Amino acid sequence: MGMAILHQIDGQLVKGSFGTVFARKAALMDKFYECLFLEIPDARALFTKDFSHQKDMFAQVLASAMRSLGDGSDLASLVDRVLLQHRHLGLTAGHMYMAQRALLLAFREVLRDELTAAELSAWNAALRRLCQSLAAGIETPAT
């Protein structure tokens, strides 16, 4: 089976389970930030304002990223927008990979009983693609 077919199947699994995932977005965001602060303790100081608003914005970014599956230009536009909004934080590619680990762990812990193994695997692949695109955008900033 070719990679394009696998990506298409993953995309269908993600889109098909989107409602299940986003019905649990509050628990997912709570667990993500808990895991992120374990990975990067200093990151807690970056969130001094309305933290619930930050969680909502992050959930919106995830939703946009998942809707862009299969459309590289939409994902590239989202990545550019997110990196521009966070440029002042001095994020590194390493931060993106730590966030990826926290996000994958949060998904596994919050959704393991609600998603099939195939759905969880598809979400993991999509989330890795998003985080790796963000890391690549940091490593090679647009000029």
Side-chain angles (χ1 to χ4, degrees):
M1 191 177 300
M3 287 303 288
I5 301 261
L6 288 175
H7 288 300
Q8 184 179 13
I9 292 169
D10 281 352
Q12 291 170 348
L13 287 167
V14 167
K15 289 176 182 176
S17 60
F18 190 86
T20 301
V21 170
F22 278 82
R24 301 275 295 146
K25 78 175 185 178
L28 187 59
M29 291 300 100
D30 287 344
K31 181 54 78 174
F32 165 71
Y33 282 105
E34 177 186 319
C35 294
L36 182 69
F37 296 148
L38 288 173
E39 281 277 338
I40 315 170
D42 294 342
R44 187 178 299 276
L46 300 174
F47 300 98
T48 57
K49 296 184 181 176
D50 181 6
F51 197 57
S52 62
H53 179 67
Q54 174 63 34
K55 289 178 184 179
D56 286 341
M57 289 188 332
F58 185 60
Q60 289 173 6
V61 166
L62 283 180
S64 294
M66 296 312 109
R67 281 193 297 269
S68 75
L69 287 174
D71 187 342
S73 62
D74 279 355
L75 180 61
S77 175
L78 175 67
V79 165
D80 288 345
R81 192 170 62 249
V82 168
L83 291 177
L84 183 61
Q85 291 170 339
H86 293 81
R87 178 175 288 157
H88 67 284
L89 298 175
L91 297 175
T92 66
H95 289 123
M96 289 300 118
Y97 290 115
M98 286 184 251
Q100 175 182 296
R101 279 192 300 274
L103 192 53
L104 295 175
L105 181 59
F107 260 76
R108 187 170 52 249
E109 288 192 19
V110 172
L111 296 161
R112 71 175 157 238
D113 294 332
E114 297 173 50
L115 297 178
T116 66
E119 289 168 334
L120 193 55
S121 176
W123 275 93
N124 284 344
L127 294 169
R128 280 189 181 96
R129 179 177 175 214
L130 171 62
C131 293
Q132 290 168 0
S133 295
L134 288 164
I138 290 172
E139 291 173 348
T140 56
T143 55

